[in-house]
Amino acid sequence: MLERYCDILVVGTELPGLITAAFLARRGLSVQVIDTDMFTDHPKLPDPVCLTNIQSKLLRSILGRLNVPEATLQKFLNQEATLQVVLPKNRIDVFNNPLTYFEELEREFPKQYAALKIFYETQAKERHQIDVNELFQRLWPVGWKEQRAFKKFLKSQTLGRVSSDYAALAKSDPRLASFLKAQYLLAYGKFNEAPFHFQVSELFNPGDGEIFNVVGGINTLKNMLLERVQNHEGSLRKKTVINGLLYRKGVFEGVFLDESQGNLLSKYLIWNTSLKRLSELLPKKWRFRKIKKACDHVTTDFQWFTTRLTV
């Protein structure tokens, strides 16, 4: 049976694994990425997930350290996209332009619009009054002296004060409360049951002239990272079916593809896609029952949903 080897085998094309694969390939390790999606590169499929806060220092630092060409990055940043927050009786189109965005809010929430506009204006005022750089420098204090200084800073800036504007808006209309939660989710990729509850949370909103800064879809970013992997002698297998995991002497050593492609062995295996699929491929032995159960019952804080329609 044909066997091939690599240092790192990444199964799936989610962002965390691709970022890891790109950095490891850059360090000189042999990396192979397996894309198990049968619809990869289909010309008629949309790019469902648009990206927000693409100008974040973290993401720009990652792409910069991977030597993504600036021309490629600028082309990506110029790809504007529109996201929609869909509620049972409302549909809010999210634009970068604040004027267009406020027109949408006035159309969907005419009774609460005045209070909603004051809410956003208060956020902008908070950002301008507080030294955000100092706040970021004091985040995650380590020692007791740093913790004491951080608490003193929060108190002096009234950042621990509960936002009465948010509480009033959320109470006035359940739909508006749902929308504000959706806004927080879109902006930061994390669900929060009470977003904007404290004044400090308002400082983490997008900056001047932006609401969400929504740009191109996630597939474009994935292709950037895959190009970095291949640029450093890594390889990609598209539309590949995995028939089983290779488990030898207490460790996973790779995957079994099929009789024609054989085994793909690796020193390290990174599972970078659905845990449900991992559960299906685990060896049918009693020692894996607990892992399988954990995979079947794992839940996430939020999900992106997309629909593919074929006529």
Side-chain angles (χ1 to χ4, degrees), residues 136-177:
F136 285 0
Q137 290 173 4
R138 293 184 181 277
L139 286 178
W140 297 289
V142 180
W144 67 269
K145 290 184 178 180
E146 289 82 0
Q147 292 177 4
R148 184 177 179 183
F150 182 52
K151 290 180 180 179
K152 187 176 180 180
F153 175 78
L154 293 181
K155 187 176 181 180
S156 66
Q157 302 292 330
T158 67
L159 291 176
R161 177 168 54 88
V162 174
S163 174
S164 58
D165 293 339
Y166 165 74
L169 284 171
K171 189 176 180 180
S172 66
D173 191 328
R175 298 171 304 159
L176 194 53

Side-chain angles (χ1 to χ4, degrees), residues 10-222:
V10 180
V11 178
T13 55
E14 297 301 325
L15 286 182
L18 291 184
I19 293 172
T20 303
F23 275 108
L24 292 174
R26 184 170 176 265
R27 287 294 182 96
L29 296 171
S30 61
V31 177
Q32 288 212 29
V33 179
I34 295 180
D35 185 356
T36 57
D37 186 358
M38 294 295 106
F39 297 96
T40 297
D41 296 333
H42 194 293
K44 293 186 179 181
L45 290 180
D47 197 355
V49 180
C50 299
L51 300 177
T52 58
N53 287 351
I54 197 66
Q55 293 283 8
S56 70
K57 291 182 180 180
L58 176 60
L59 185 55
R60 290 301 296 264
S61 173
I62 289 173
L63 297 177
R65 290 172 62 187
L66 290 172
N67 299 323
V68 173
E70 187 62 25
T72 302
L73 192 56
Q74 288 303 320
K75 182 179 178 181
F76 176 62
L77 293 174
N78 291 332
Q79 295 180 356
E80 291 192 3
T82 302
L83 281 176
Q84 290 185 339
V85 177
V86 181
L87 303 173
K89 295 184 179 180
N90 302 78
R91 188 210 68 232
I92 300 97
D93 293 328
V94 179
F95 296 97
N96 290 342
N97 187 331
L99 294 177
T100 309
Y101 178 67
F102 281 123
E103 288 176 0
E104 280 286 296
L105 295 180
E106 186 175 15
R107 177 176 61 82
E108 293 294 337
F109 301 106
K111 294 181 179 179
Q112 294 86 7
Y113 173 69
L116 195 56
K117 191 172 182 181
I118 292 174
F119 170 71
Y120 284 111
E121 289 174 350
T122 302
Q123 289 183 319
K125 183 179 178 181
E126 291 285 346
R127 285 195 300 272
H128 286 16
Q129 287 180 341
I130 295 171
D131 188 345
V132 180
N133 290 329
E134 184 179 357
L135 171 64
F136 285 0
Q137 290 173 4
R138 293 184 181 277
L139 286 178
W140 297 289
V142 180
W144 67 269
K145 290 184 178 180
E146 289 82 0
Q147 292 177 4
R148 184 177 179 183
F150 182 52
K151 290 180 180 179
K152 187 176 180 180
F153 175 78
L154 293 181
K155 187 176 181 180
S156 66
Q157 302 292 330
T158 67
L159 291 176
R161 177 168 54 88
V162 174
S163 174
S164 58
D165 293 339
Y166 165 74
L169 284 171
K171 189 176 180 180
S172 66
D173 191 328
R175 298 171 304 159
L176 194 53
S178 298
F179 169 69
L180 291 171
K181 292 178 183 179
Q183 176 185 349
Y184 196 94
L185 173 60
L186 289 174
Y188 309 113
K190 186 174 182 180
F191 178 76
N192 190 333
E193 188 62 39
F196 316 114
H197 185 65
F198 291 99
Q199 295 297 113
V200 66
S201 65
E202 298 174 354
L203 299 175
F204 294 85
N205 286 326
D208 300 333
E210 301 176 343
I211 299 299
F212 289 111
N213 189 25
V214 182
V215 297
I218 198 169
N219 287 339
T220 308
L221 182 57
K222 287 182 178 181

